[in-house]
mmCIF file of all heavy atoms in Angstrom:
data_model
loop_
_atom_site.group_PDB
_atom_site.id
_atom_site.type_symbol
_atom_site.label_atom_id
_atom_site.label_comp_id
_atom_site.label_asym_id
_atom_site.label_seq_id
_atom_site.Cartn_x
_atom_site.Cartn_y
_atom_site.Cartn_z
ATOM 1 N N ARG J 2 4.589 14.190 -4.165
ATOM 2 C CA ARG J 2 5.249 14.114 -5.452
ATOM 3 C C ARG J 2 4.881 15.328 -6.296
ATOM 4 O O ARG J 2 5.723 15.920 -6.963
ATOM 5 C CB ARG J 2 4.795 12.820 -6.147
ATOM 6 C CG ARG J 2 5.457 12.670 -7.481
ATOM 7 C CD ARG J 2 4.787 11.718 -8.431
ATOM 8 N NE ARG J 2 5.247 12.083 -9.769
ATOM 9 C CZ ARG J 2 4.632 11.764 -10.880
ATOM 10 N NH1 ARG J 2 3.532 11.075 -10.832
ATOM 11 N NH2 ARG J 2 5.101 12.149 -12.042
ATOM 12 N N HIS J 5 6.653 18.574 -5.282
ATOM 13 C CA HIS J 5 8.015 18.573 -5.814
ATOM 14 C C HIS J 5 8.003 18.863 -7.319
ATOM 15 O O HIS J 5 8.766 19.689 -7.817
ATOM 16 C CB HIS J 5 8.654 17.214 -5.524
ATOM 17 C CG HIS J 5 10.062 17.106 -6.012
ATOM 18 N ND1 HIS J 5 11.092 17.846 -5.484
ATOM 19 C CD2 HIS J 5 10.603 16.371 -7.012
ATOM 20 C CE1 HIS J 5 12.209 17.559 -6.124
ATOM 21 N NE2 HIS J 5 11.949 16.677 -7.061
ATOM 22 N N SER J 17 12.705 29.989 -18.326
ATOM 23 C CA SER J 17 12.189 30.520 -19.592
ATOM 24 C C SER J 17 12.154 32.031 -19.548
ATOM 25 O O SER J 17 12.519 32.713 -20.495
ATOM 26 C CB SER J 17 10.757 30.039 -19.836
ATOM 27 O OG SER J 17 10.762 28.726 -20.289
ATOM 28 N N GLU J 20 15.616 33.566 -19.815
ATOM 29 C CA GLU J 20 16.444 33.133 -20.935
ATOM 30 C C GLU J 20 16.893 34.308 -21.802
ATOM 31 O O GLU J 20 18.027 34.352 -22.265
ATOM 32 C CB GLU J 20 15.666 32.107 -21.775
ATOM 33 C CG GLU J 20 16.425 31.539 -22.955
ATOM 34 C CD GLU J 20 17.671 30.756 -22.575
ATOM 35 O OE1 GLU J 20 17.681 30.165 -21.480
ATOM 36 O OE2 GLU J 20 18.638 30.760 -23.349
ATOM 37 N N TYR J 21 15.995 35.237 -22.000
ATOM 38 C CA TYR J 21 16.343 36.358 -22.864
ATOM 39 C C TYR J 21 16.699 37.556 -22.004
ATOM 40 O O TYR J 21 15.841 38.147 -21.356
ATOM 41 C CB TYR J 21 15.163 36.702 -23.775
ATOM 42 C CG TYR J 21 14.623 35.493 -24.484
ATOM 43 C CD1 TYR J 21 13.342 35.029 -24.239
ATOM 44 C CD2 TYR J 21 15.428 34.802 -25.392
ATOM 45 C CE1 TYR J 21 12.861 33.909 -24.883
ATOM 46 C CE2 TYR J 21 14.946 33.678 -26.041
ATOM 47 C CZ TYR J 21 13.661 33.239 -25.783
ATOM 48 O OH TYR J 21 13.188 32.137 -26.416
ATOM 49 N N GLY J 93 -4.077 23.300 -31.316
ATOM 50 C CA GLY J 93 -3.687 21.909 -31.122
ATOM 51 C C GLY J 93 -2.393 21.800 -30.344
ATOM 52 O O GLY J 93 -1.630 20.850 -30.498
ATOM 53 N N ASP J 96 -1.245 18.851 -27.083
ATOM 54 C CA ASP J 96 -0.851 17.442 -27.234
ATOM 55 C C ASP J 96 0.182 17.008 -26.200
ATOM 56 O O ASP J 96 0.072 15.949 -25.601
ATOM 57 C CB ASP J 96 -0.266 17.193 -28.636
ATOM 58 C CG ASP J 96 -1.311 17.317 -29.719
ATOM 59 O OD1 ASP J 96 -2.438 17.734 -29.382
ATOM 60 O OD2 ASP J 96 -1.009 17.001 -30.881
ATOM 61 N N PHE J 99 -1.144 15.945 -22.975
ATOM 62 C CA PHE J 99 -1.924 14.705 -22.978
ATOM 63 C C PHE J 99 -1.032 13.471 -23.026
ATOM 64 O O PHE J 99 -1.482 12.365 -22.818
ATOM 65 C CB PHE J 99 -2.892 14.693 -24.167
ATOM 66 C CG PHE J 99 -4.134 15.490 -23.916
ATOM 67 C CD1 PHE J 99 -4.148 16.860 -24.067
ATOM 68 C CD2 PHE J 99 -5.291 14.852 -23.498
ATOM 69 C CE1 PHE J 99 -5.285 17.592 -23.827
ATOM 70 C CE2 PHE J 99 -6.440 15.581 -23.243
ATOM 71 C CZ PHE J 99 -6.438 16.953 -23.413
ATOM 72 N N LEU J 100 0.245 13.656 -23.368
ATOM 73 C CA LEU J 100 1.136 12.510 -23.507
ATOM 74 C C LEU J 100 1.882 12.191 -22.220
ATOM 75 O O LEU J 100 2.627 11.232 -22.157
ATOM 76 C CB LEU J 100 2.150 12.794 -24.624
ATOM 77 C CG LEU J 100 1.521 13.002 -25.999
ATOM 78 C CD1 LEU J 100 2.574 13.397 -27.012
ATOM 79 C CD2 LEU J 100 0.819 11.729 -26.438
ATOM 80 N N ARG J 101 1.701 13.016 -21.194
ATOM 81 C CA ARG J 101 2.495 12.829 -19.989
ATOM 82 C C ARG J 101 1.676 12.243 -18.852
ATOM 83 O O ARG J 101 0.492 12.519 -18.736
ATOM 84 C CB ARG J 101 3.091 14.171 -19.568
ATOM 85 C CG ARG J 101 4.056 14.643 -20.611
ATOM 86 C CD ARG J 101 4.625 15.971 -20.274
ATOM 87 N NE ARG J 101 5.513 16.384 -21.353
ATOM 88 C CZ ARG J 101 5.763 17.620 -21.674
ATOM 89 N NH1 ARG J 101 5.202 18.586 -21.005
ATOM 90 N NH2 ARG J 101 6.583 17.895 -22.660
ATOM 91 N N VAL J 103 0.750 12.779 -16.041
ATOM 92 C CA VAL J 103 0.389 13.714 -14.980
ATOM 93 C C VAL J 103 -0.917 14.357 -15.438
ATOM 94 O O VAL J 103 -1.101 14.555 -16.640
ATOM 95 C CB VAL J 103 1.500 14.789 -14.847
ATOM 96 C CG1 VAL J 103 1.130 15.829 -13.820
ATOM 97 C CG2 VAL J 103 2.846 14.161 -14.519
ATOM 98 N N GLU J 112 2.628 25.175 -15.758
ATOM 99 C CA GLU J 112 3.306 25.685 -16.955
ATOM 100 C C GLU J 112 3.828 27.115 -16.754
ATOM 101 O O GLU J 112 4.894 27.457 -17.237
ATOM 102 C CB GLU J 112 2.319 25.629 -18.137
ATOM 103 C CG GLU J 112 2.929 25.878 -19.498
ATOM 104 C CD GLU J 112 3.857 24.774 -19.978
ATOM 105 O OE1 GLU J 112 3.751 23.638 -19.468
ATOM 106 O OE2 GLU J 112 4.686 25.051 -20.847
ATOM 107 N N THR J 261 -5.072 19.005 -33.727
ATOM 108 C CA THR J 261 -5.207 19.484 -35.105
ATOM 109 C C THR J 261 -4.553 18.452 -36.013
ATOM 110 O O THR J 261 -3.783 17.633 -35.557
ATOM 111 C CB THR J 261 -4.477 20.831 -35.290
ATOM 112 O OG1 THR J 261 -3.173 20.715 -34.725
ATOM 113 C CG2 THR J 261 -5.222 21.960 -34.640
ATOM 114 N N LYS R 66 -2.998 9.130 -32.554
ATOM 115 C CA LYS R 66 -3.500 9.949 -31.448
ATOM 116 C C LYS R 66 -4.451 9.154 -30.554
ATOM 117 O O LYS R 66 -4.496 9.373 -29.352
ATOM 118 C CB LYS R 66 -4.188 11.206 -31.979
ATOM 119 C CG LYS R 66 -3.165 12.283 -32.323
ATOM 120 C CD LYS R 66 -3.771 13.482 -32.975
ATOM 121 C CE LYS R 66 -2.658 14.404 -33.434
ATOM 122 N NZ LYS R 66 -3.035 15.192 -34.596
ATOM 123 N N ARG R 90 -5.391 7.400 -19.208
ATOM 124 C CA ARG R 90 -4.360 8.100 -19.949
ATOM 125 C C ARG R 90 -3.024 8.137 -19.208
ATOM 126 O O ARG R 90 -1.973 7.858 -19.769
ATOM 127 C CB ARG R 90 -4.839 9.531 -20.222
ATOM 128 C CG ARG R 90 -4.023 10.294 -21.214
ATOM 129 C CD ARG R 90 -4.491 11.729 -21.303
ATOM 130 N NE ARG R 90 -4.338 12.435 -20.039
ATOM 131 C CZ ARG R 90 -3.193 12.862 -19.548
ATOM 132 N NH1 ARG R 90 -2.092 12.669 -20.214
ATOM 133 N NH2 ARG R 90 -3.138 13.475 -18.385
ATOM 134 N N LYS R 104 5.427 18.756 -34.567
ATOM 135 C CA LYS R 104 5.292 19.595 -33.379
ATOM 136 C C LYS R 104 6.335 19.168 -32.375
ATOM 137 O O LYS R 104 6.526 17.984 -32.164
ATOM 138 C CB LYS R 104 3.926 19.355 -32.716
ATOM 139 C CG LYS R 104 2.737 19.834 -33.480
ATOM 140 C CD LYS R 104 1.481 19.421 -32.726
ATOM 141 C CE LYS R 104 0.239 19.735 -33.517
ATOM 142 N NZ LYS R 104 -0.944 19.080 -32.968
ATOM 143 N N GLN R 106 7.679 18.742 -28.521
ATOM 144 C CA GLN R 106 7.093 18.652 -27.186
ATOM 145 C C GLN R 106 8.048 19.188 -26.147
ATOM 146 O O GLN R 106 7.857 19.021 -24.957
ATOM 147 C CB GLN R 106 6.765 17.206 -26.884
ATOM 148 C CG GLN R 106 5.551 16.770 -27.667
ATOM 149 C CD GLN R 106 5.499 15.295 -27.794
ATOM 150 O OE1 GLN R 106 5.309 14.617 -26.808
ATOM 151 N NE2 GLN R 106 5.687 14.780 -28.986
ATOM 152 N N TRP R 108 10.179 22.364 -24.335
ATOM 153 C CA TRP R 108 9.927 23.782 -24.061
ATOM 154 C C TRP R 108 10.832 24.612 -24.942
ATOM 155 O O TRP R 108 12.039 24.413 -24.991
ATOM 156 C CB TRP R 108 10.127 24.081 -22.595
ATOM 157 C CG TRP R 108 9.014 23.545 -21.769
ATOM 158 C CD1 TRP R 108 7.812 24.143 -21.548
ATOM 159 C CD2 TRP R 108 8.982 22.295 -21.075
ATOM 160 N NE1 TRP R 108 7.026 23.341 -20.757
ATOM 161 C CE2 TRP R 108 7.720 22.207 -20.449
ATOM 162 C CE3 TRP R 108 9.877 21.245 -20.915
ATOM 163 C CZ2 TRP R 108 7.348 21.121 -19.681
ATOM 164 C CZ3 TRP R 108 9.512 20.165 -20.163
ATOM 165 C CH2 TRP R 108 8.253 20.108 -19.548
ATOM 166 N N ASP R 110 11.975 27.762 -25.124
ATOM 167 C CA ASP R 110 13.016 28.748 -24.848
ATOM 168 C C ASP R 110 13.903 28.430 -23.653
ATOM 169 O O ASP R 110 14.503 29.318 -23.065
ATOM 170 C CB ASP R 110 12.404 30.152 -24.709
ATOM 171 C CG ASP R 110 11.112 30.111 -23.933
ATOM 172 O OD1 ASP R 110 10.890 29.107 -23.242
ATOM 173 O OD2 ASP R 110 10.330 31.061 -24.015
ATOM 174 N N ILE R 111 13.983 27.147 -23.289
ATOM 175 C CA ILE R 111 14.953 26.818 -22.244
ATOM 176 C C ILE R 111 15.981 25.847 -22.821
ATOM 177 O O ILE R 111 15.701 25.148 -23.793
ATOM 178 C CB ILE R 111 14.280 26.187 -20.995
ATOM 179 C CG1 ILE R 111 13.559 24.892 -21.361
ATOM 180 C CG2 ILE R 111 13.339 27.167 -20.352
ATOM 181 C CD1 ILE R 111 13.089 24.125 -20.152
ATOM 182 N N GLU R 122 11.568 14.354 -13.873
ATOM 183 C CA GLU R 122 10.659 14.425 -12.732
ATOM 184 C C GLU R 122 9.260 13.964 -13.115
ATOM 185 O O GLU R 122 8.609 13.238 -12.361
ATOM 186 C CB GLU R 122 10.578 15.858 -12.193
ATOM 187 C CG GLU R 122 11.867 16.377 -11.605
ATOM 188 C CD GLU R 122 12.381 15.509 -10.465
ATOM 189 O OE1 GLU R 122 11.546 14.996 -9.699
ATOM 190 O OE2 GLU R 122 13.618 15.331 -10.366
ATOM 191 N N ILE R 123 8.799 14.380 -14.284
ATOM 192 C CA ILE R 123 7.448 14.025 -14.710
ATOM 193 C C ILE R 123 7.291 12.512 -14.811
ATOM 194 O O ILE R 123 6.285 11.949 -14.391
ATOM 195 C CB ILE R 123 7.105 14.708 -16.055
ATOM 196 C CG1 ILE R 123 6.882 16.204 -15.830
ATOM 197 C CG2 ILE R 123 5.858 14.076 -16.691
ATOM 198 C CD1 ILE R 123 6.518 16.977 -17.069
ATOM 199 N N GLN R 125 9.277 10.344 -13.361
ATOM 200 C CA GLN R 125 9.886 9.712 -12.190
ATOM 201 C C GLN R 125 11.001 8.745 -12.556
ATOM 202 O O GLN R 125 11.020 7.591 -12.124
ATOM 203 C CB GLN R 125 8.808 8.990 -11.373
ATOM 204 C CG GLN R 125 7.785 9.945 -10.798
ATOM 205 C CD GLN R 125 6.696 9.212 -10.053
ATOM 206 O OE1 GLN R 125 5.840 8.607 -10.672
ATOM 207 N NE2 GLN R 125 6.730 9.262 -8.747
ATOM 208 N N PRO R 151 19.209 26.566 -26.049
ATOM 209 C CA PRO R 151 17.739 26.577 -26.029
ATOM 210 C C PRO R 151 17.205 25.884 -27.282
ATOM 211 O O PRO R 151 17.802 25.984 -28.350
ATOM 212 C CB PRO R 151 17.382 28.060 -26.065
ATOM 213 C CG PRO R 151 18.626 28.792 -25.756
ATOM 214 C CD PRO R 151 19.772 27.913 -26.085
ATOM 215 N N ARG R 153 14.836 26.542 -29.158
ATOM 216 C CA ARG R 153 14.552 27.528 -30.197
ATOM 217 C C ARG R 153 15.686 27.670 -31.213
ATOM 218 O O ARG R 153 15.460 27.938 -32.394
ATOM 219 C CB ARG R 153 14.309 28.850 -29.478
ATOM 220 C CG ARG R 153 13.870 30.015 -30.270
ATOM 221 C CD ARG R 153 13.646 31.173 -29.299
ATOM 222 N NE ARG R 153 14.817 31.386 -28.448
ATOM 223 C CZ ARG R 153 15.870 32.110 -28.798
ATOM 224 N NH1 ARG R 153 15.912 32.690 -29.958
ATOM 225 N NH2 ARG R 153 16.889 32.260 -27.976
#
Side-chain angles (χ1 to χ4, degrees):
Chain J
R2 181 199 159 200
H5 181 67
S17 282
E20 182 63 30
Y21 310 115
D96 292 8
F99 280 81
L100 298 175
R101 295 178 182 152
V103 176
E112 191 69 21
T261 48
Chain R
K66 279 174 187 151
R90 192 186 62 75
K104 291 176 186 167
Q106 286 159 67
W108 286 277
D110 41 18
I111 60 170
E122 295 302 324
I123 287 181
Q125 296 177 285
R153 186 178 52 85

